[in-house]
Amino acid sequence: MATDRTLPARARVVVIGGGVGGTSIAYHLAELGERDVVLLDRAELTSGSTFHSAGLVGQLRADPTLTRMNTYSAELYAKLEATEHPVGWVPCGGIRLACTPERLQETRRQIGWARTFDLPLREISAAEAKELFPLMSTDGVLGGSYLPTDGYVDPSQLTYSLAAGARAGGVRIFTKTRVLGIDLRDGRVHRVRTDSGEIEAEIVVNCGGMFAAEIGRMAGVRVPIVPMSHQYLVTDPVRPRDGTHLPTLRDPDNLVYWREEVDGLLMGGYERDSRPWAQSGAAFEAIPADFNGKLLSEDWDRFTEIGANAEARVPVMGTIGVRRMINGPEAFTPDNEFCLGETEVGGFFVAAGFCAHGIAGAGGVGKVMAEWIVSGDPGLDVSHMDIRRFGRHYGSPAYTRKRVVENYETYYDIPYPHRERSAGRPLRVSPAYSWHVEHGATFGEKSGWERVNQYESNVDGGDASLRPHDWAGRNWSPAIGAEHIATRERAGLFDESSFAKISVSGRGAAELLNWLCANDVAREIGAVTYTQALNARGGIECDFTVTRLAEDEFMIVTGTAFGSHDMGWLRKHAGPDVRIADVTGQFACFALWGPRARDILAPLTPADLGNEAFPYLTAQETTVGDVPVRALRVTFVGELGWELYCSAEYGAALWRALWAAGEEHGLVAGGYRAIDSLRLEKGYRLWGSDLSPEVHPYEAGLGFCVKLDKPFLGRDALIAARERGLTRKLACLVLDDPRHVVLGSEPVRVDGKVLTRVTSGGYGYTVGASIAYAYLPVELAKPGTRAEVELFGTWVPAVVSKQPLFDPRGERVRQ
C-alpha cells in the first residue's frame, strides 16, 4: 500500500485496475524508467478476476506473437520466484491429450509450430502420459504432447510480486480508490476522477478486467468483452507432498483440465452450456458496484458433463472429496484474443479481455503494453490483439454476447481451416446477397460481412480428384478450382463489397497520406497507387490501395478485417485539417477480372476501355448499364479487369447487368477461396500473414512500392536496413507433392535445420502446384534451394521457385 493516501494532482500515466494485467504493466513501465506512474484499484489488489484464476501457464499457441509473450511470461515468473516476493511458480511441465485421430493430427501440427520457437514440445504415447500423470486413465487416449517448461503460478502471489517490483521502481499504488469518470480534452484523455480526488494524466490505461467495458464507456470507448461464468473445483488431498509435482493436464476432447493445488487437484473446463454473467435481457454489462473479491453461486448442474468427463479421465475424481467449488466471472472477447492498445481516444489504452489465459500471457502483456506506451510501438505484431480490430457492430452488446458465448463454448474445438462461426449471422450483407443465395453460394463471415467462399453450383466444373490431403481437404470444394480456371481462361465476377473503404479528405489529406505511405500517393487525380504505411521501425502497419479522387480527396481500399485498424492508424497521425471516414457500407464493389473482361464491360459503358484511354492503375467515373460507377483498373488475381464501385442502392442492378452481359462470354461468379488461389500464383502478399509490423518492404519483395526520394514515416529505418543488407526475404516454395497443401505456420527446414515458418499458402490451379511462402535467410531464398515443409509430422520436400509463378512479366493485367 502507498504510505501517503493522498492522490497526486497529476501523473504522466494512470493505470486503472490492480489485477495481474495492471500490475504487470506498472512493473514493466518502471523497468523502462517511467517514474510518474499511478495505479488505482477500486478495492484491493487481485480483487477482480485475478484472485480466482486457475493459474495455468501454457506457452505454445497457434499465434507466434502470443507464444513469444507466454514464453516471456514463464521466464519472468521464474525470475520473480527467486526474489524476496516469490510467485509460487512451479515449472512442472504440461500434457495435452489426444483422444481422436483429428486431435492427434492437431497435436502433430502443434509440435511443428513448437519447432519454430525452439520449444521442446514432443509427442508422447498414452503410456508415457500415464507415467507422467499416474492418476489418469488411458482409456480412449491415442497419444498427446508434453512440454516440460510449462507450469502454473499463484495468481495472487504473482500480482503482489509485480506490484512490489513496480513500487520499487517508483510506481504509486492506491487501493480502495474507485474511478468515477474520465475527462477528455481535444480528443485526448485529460483527467481521471475518483472518489478520493482527481488526477490529471497524459495516458490512462484501462486494465479493469470484467469492469473494462464500464471504464471504457467513461471515455466514450467501446471495449467488447463479456464476463463469463467459469467454474473449477479443488479436491481433498490425492497424493502426499513429497517434493515432486504432477504436470498440468489438458484433455480438450473431454473439455477438462487439471493442475495440482497443494496436495489435491484443481479441475475445470469449458462446458457447452455456458453462462454469461451480468447480462440478461436489456441489462447488458450491469456488474454490481460492490462486486469486489466475490464469487458467483456454485452451479453444479452445469458442471455435470465436465464432472463426468473428469471422472472418466482421472478416476479418483469419483471418490475423492471436494474442498470447494470456484465459480468466478472471466472477461472474454468475441475472438478469444486479448484487447490491447491505444483506442480512438488519444492516450487512452486498454489491456483487457484476458479470456481465462491471462495469467499465462500477463508477463508478455505487461512488456508489450509498456513499450507501446513509452515508445508508441509494441515491438511485436499484435494486430490480432489490437482493440482497433473490432468494427462498429461490436458496439452492440447483444452481438458481442452472441459471439463471446459461441467462442467460449467452442474453446477446445479443433480450429480446422476455414472454420466458420454462426452466431449473429447474417448481419452485414451485400446488395447482391439474395442473388448469391439463389445461385448456391457457400458463405464465410469476416468482420460481420457475409462473403461468398464459393458457389456449389460451380462444382461440376471442377476436378474432385484435386482434393488436398489432411485438413486442407476439409471445407474444400471442386468449385474453387472451377472458378479459378474460369477467371484465367474467360472471366470471373466477384463481390468485394465487404472490402473496407476509407475516405480521406480535407486540406491536409495529400500531405498526411504522402507522409504515412512509402509509395508516392499524391499523384494526379485518377491515379491508383498500391502502397504500404510503415511504422518508425520500417515495419508494415497497413497495406492498401489509394485512389486520388480530387486535389483534397482520396479513397483507400483495404482488407475487410483491417478497416478499423487502418482507420485507427490514419487518425492517430491526422491533424485537424483532415477528415477520415469509414464509407464501406455506402458502396458496393464488384470485380470483373479475366481475359474477356473488356469484352463484357465495353457494351455497358460509354467509357473507352482501351489501354491508352484507361491505363492500368487508374480510375474513372462513368456508368455501367443504368448505374453510375467509379471504375478502378486494378486486380488482385493477376488478370485484366476492373473493380466497379457504386452507391449501395444501385448494387443489385449493377450485379445483374454485369452477369447478363457476361453469360455469352462464359462468365463465372466466383468467391474468395478462388481469389486466394489466384493471388498465390501471382505472389500478391497478404497483410496479417505475409506482411506485418515486424516485416519491412524490402524483405517482403515490395521494394518497388518504396520511394526514398520523398520523406515518409519509417524512411530512416528502411535506409538503415538497406545499408545493413537484407538478412531474410520472402520466398516462394513449391512442394513436390501437390496434394500436400499448407495451412500456415508450418515449420520450414533446409539441410535438416528448422529456419522459419510458412506465412501463407495453398493450391494454384493454373500452375498445378502446392504453394507456400516463407521468410528464408537471403542466401537461401534463391530459386533451386531445396527445403522441406512439415505437415502433421511428415516432412514434405519443396523447392524455392522464381516468383511470381504465373505471368512473371505481368503482361496479362495490361493486355
Side-chain angles (χ1 to χ4, degrees):
M1 302 289 179
T3 303
D4 183 0
R5 296 299 304 158
T6 304
L7 287 179
R10 72 169 310 280
R12 185 172 123 73
V13 183
V14 173
V15 179
I16 303 172
V20 70
T23 53
S24 182
I25 291 170
Y27 173 92
H28 286 89
L29 283 170
E31 275 208 327
L32 292 178
E34 285 287 334
R35 297 292 175 257
D36 191 11
V37 180
V38 167
L39 185 148
L40 308 174
D41 193 274
R42 60 194 281 139
E44 300 290 348
L45 298 183
T46 81
S47 61
S49 296
T50 297
F51 84 93
H52 58 72
S53 296
L56 279 72
V57 179
Q59 297 167 83
L60 183 65
R61 293 290 190 269
D63 162 51
T65 297
L66 186 54
T67 299
R68 288 155 70 182
M69 291 166 65
N70 287 6
T71 300
Y72 170 79
S73 292
E75 294 168 353
L76 174 65
Y77 302 163
K79 183 177 78 172
L80 293 174
E81 183 66 16
T83 68
E84 60 181 315
H85 301 284
V87 299
W89 170 239
V90 180
C92 58
I95 298 171
R96 186 180 176 93
L97 300 178
C99 300
T100 65
E102 294 79 12
R103 187 71 69 178
L104 193 57
Q105 281 188 311
E106 182 193 33
T107 296
R108 289 169 178 159
R109 180 165 163 77
Q110 290 171 335
I111 291 169
W113 294 337
R115 296 186 209 280
T116 67
F117 298 105
D118 291 326
L119 286 174
L121 184 70
R122 62 182 177 90
E123 185 173 344
I124 59 174
S125 66
E128 288 175 294
K130 185 172 178 61
E131 184 178 348
L132 291 163
F133 198 104
L135 299 175
M136 68 168 276
S137 164
T138 59
D139 290 351
V141 177
L142 301 182
S145 61
Y146 176 62
L147 184 57
T149 54
D150 276 354
Y152 61 89
V153 70
D154 183 303
S156 292
Q157 285 183 233
L158 172 60
T159 302
Y160 281 106
S161 181
L162 291 166
R167 285 193 185 97
V171 176
R172 290 166 289 177
I173 298 178
F174 295 86
T175 56
K176 297 182 180 178
T177 305
R178 185 181 297 269
V179 172
L180 303 176
I182 298 172
D183 297 333
L184 311 182
R185 176 183 290 176
D186 298 326
R188 289 189 59 86
V189 290
H190 170 61
R191 179 170 45 231
V192 177
R193 290 181 282 111
T194 81
D195 58 1
S196 299
E198 299 180 349
I199 311 176
E200 289 189 7
E202 296 176 34
I203 293 168
V204 175
V205 190
N206 176 3
C207 302
M210 62 182 142
F211 297 99
E214 175 185 335
I215 295 167
R217 286 196 295 272
M218 296 178 185
V221 169
R222 169 67 176 161
V223 182
I225 60 170
V226 173
M228 299 293 292
S229 163
H230 185 71
Q231 298 188 112
Y232 65 81
L233 57 80
V234 178
T235 74
D236 287 337
V238 296
R239 62 191 293 268
R241 300 179 67 180
D242 59 3
T244 65
H245 294 282
L246 293 173
T248 62
L249 177 67
R250 292 176 175 85
D251 185 353
D253 291 308
N254 288 299
L255 311 176
V256 287
Y257 62 79
W258 287 263
R259 74 160 173 86
E260 284 185 313
E261 175 67 9
V262 191
D263 49 5
L265 292 175
L266 181 155
M267 183 280 290
Y270 293 86
E271 68 280 1
R272 300 292 189 188
D273 180 21
S274 68
R275 289 289 185 276
W277 180 67
Q279 293 209 354
S280 60
F284 289 105
E285 297 161 355
I287 302 174
D290 63 348
F291 196 85
N292 305 310
K294 295 183 179 181
L295 294 171
L296 307 177
S297 300
E298 299 171 354
D299 191 346
W300 285 100
D301 289 342
R302 193 159 51 88
F303 208 68
T304 300
E305 179 185 8
I306 290 175
N309 292 350
E311 183 178 344
R313 179 60 58 226
V314 179
V316 71
M317 297 295 300
T319 58
I320 199 70
V322 175
R323 189 178 302 167
R324 56 181 174 152
M325 164 75 90
I326 304 296
N327 184 5
E330 297 267 7
F332 276 75
T333 64
D335 58 5
N336 205 41
E337 296 281 7
F338 300 150
C339 270
L340 306 180
E342 191 172 11
T343 69
E344 63 268 28
V345 173
F348 187 65
F349 286 77
V350 171
F354 280 12
C355 305
H357 56 266
I359 300 299
V365 167
K367 186 174 188 296
V368 163
M369 288 294 296
E371 292 178 357
W372 211 336
I373 291 164
V374 171
S375 69
D377 188 330
L380 294 175
D381 176 14
V382 293
S383 54
H384 52 296
M385 306 178 197
D386 193 326
I387 188 171
R388 294 174 299 176
R389 71 189 183 273
F390 292 111
R392 291 175 57 200
H393 46 294
Y394 283 104
S396 163
Y399 182 80
T400 301
R401 173 177 166 165
K402 291 173 186 174
R403 303 296 283 198
V404 168
V405 166
E406 181 181 37
N407 172 61
Y408 183 95
E409 294 178 352
T410 58
Y411 190 89
Y412 272 147
D413 283 8
I414 296 173
Y416 292 120
H418 305 292
R419 175 181 63 169
E420 297 291 349
R421 298 295 188 181
S422 59
R425 296 178 60 184
L427 181 65
R428 307 172 78 183
V429 299
S430 156
Y433 177 72
S434 60
W435 190 98
H436 302 324
V437 172
E438 292 166 4
H439 289 77
T442 297
F443 291 96
E445 179 270 334
K446 184 171 283 189
S447 293
W449 281 96
E450 296 296 317
R451 311 194 325 160
V452 177
N453 283 338
Q454 70 272 338
Y455 295 87
E456 289 308 306
S457 53
N458 291 329
V459 162
D460 291 343
D463 184 350
S465 71
L466 295 179
R467 181 180 297 275
H469 298 320
D470 299 317
W471 284 10
R474 289 177 171 267
N475 301 316
W476 178 88
S477 170
I480 302 166
E483 294 163 11
H484 174 123
I485 295 299
T487 303
R488 288 273 186 252
E489 294 182 350
R490 304 184 303 278
L493 182 60
F494 301 88
D495 188 341
E496 293 185 325
S497 298
S498 69
F499 273 23
K501 310 164 195 78
I502 302 170
S503 171
V504 182
S505 61
R507 189 162 44 87
E511 182 180 3
L512 170 70
L513 290 178
N514 230 24
W515 165 248
L516 290 181
C517 296
N519 210 339
D520 182 8
V521 299
R523 298 162 54 213
E524 66 276 9
I525 293 171
V528 180
T529 307
Y530 172 53
T531 185
Q532 291 74 48
L534 311 181
N535 56 39
R537 292 178 288 129
I540 299 172
E541 287 287 344
C542 312
D543 178 72
F544 44 51
T545 59
V546 180
T547 302
R548 189 166 199 172
L549 305 178
E551 286 296 323
D552 60 354
E553 183 181 5
F554 297 78
M555 181 180 73
I556 291 174
V557 178
T558 187
T560 302
F562 309 139
S564 296
H565 171 275
D566 293 0
M567 288 249 316
W569 187 255
L570 293 167
R571 284 175 169 163
K572 178 181 177 67
H573 297 90
D577 57 350
V578 179
R579 295 182 299 277
I580 299 170
D582 180 358
V583 296
T584 302
Q586 297 179 28
F587 295 95
C589 173
F590 306 133
L592 177 64
W593 291 319
R596 298 185 188 173
R598 185 180 282 114
D599 299 331
I600 295 169
L601 189 58
L604 297 175
T605 179
D608 183 344
L609 303 179
N611 280 321
E612 290 190 11
F614 206 143
Y616 181 55
L617 292 180
T618 62
Q620 294 184 23
E621 303 285 336
T622 183
T623 57
V624 173
D626 299 330
V627 178
V629 304
R630 177 179 300 144
L632 274 62
R633 189 170 169 190
V634 294
T635 181
F636 197 54
V637 300
E639 296 291 342
L640 167 71
W642 287 262
E643 288 180 349
L644 304 169
Y645 295 81
C646 70
S647 186
E649 71 269 24
Y650 295 110
L654 178 59
W655 183 274
R656 289 195 304 267
L658 293 167
W659 180 251
E663 285 189 291
E664 66 179 283
H665 297 278
L667 177 67
V668 169
Y672 281 85
R673 298 286 299 280
I675 291 176
D676 191 54
S677 173
L678 290 157
R679 73 95 191 166
L680 283 167
E681 295 181 337
K682 281 295 294 178
Y684 293 152
R685 288 25 175 162
L686 282 182
W687 194 82
S689 54
D690 305 316
L691 310 178
S692 80
E694 297 182 58
V695 171
H696 67 66
Y698 296 124
E699 295 172 317
L702 297 175
F704 65 92
C705 293
V706 176
K707 297 295 184 285
L708 291 176
D709 58 351
K710 73 178 186 74
F712 60 87
L713 180 61
R715 178 177 179 272
D716 292 345
L718 284 192
I719 292 173
R722 278 185 47 164
E723 291 175 350
R724 289 192 304 268
L726 288 183
T727 59
R728 63 174 180 169
K729 190 174 181 181
L730 188 63
C732 175
L733 292 91
V734 172
L735 280 64
D736 287 5
D737 183 350
R739 296 286 78 74
H740 275 111
V741 176
V742 302
L743 306 171
S745 293
E746 293 85 355
V748 179
R749 73 183 184 187
V750 177
D751 295 331
K753 182 180 180 182
V754 174
L755 300 173
T756 186
R757 69 181 63 85
V758 170
T759 57
S760 71
Y763 185 77
Y765 291 88
T766 307
V767 299
S770 175
I771 306 165
Y773 289 91
Y775 284 91
L776 285 173
V778 67
E779 66 274 12
L780 297 176
K782 298 176 181 177
T785 298
R786 296 298 303 180
E788 293 175 290
V789 180
E790 186 185 15
L791 286 90
F792 302 101
T794 299
W795 287 99
V796 181
V799 63
V800 177
S801 300
K802 291 182 179 180
Q803 52 177 316
L805 296 171
F806 178 79
D807 187 26
R809 299 178 62 180
E811 296 172 335
R812 293 173 70 96
V813 300
R814 294 177 173 83
Q815 64 184 9

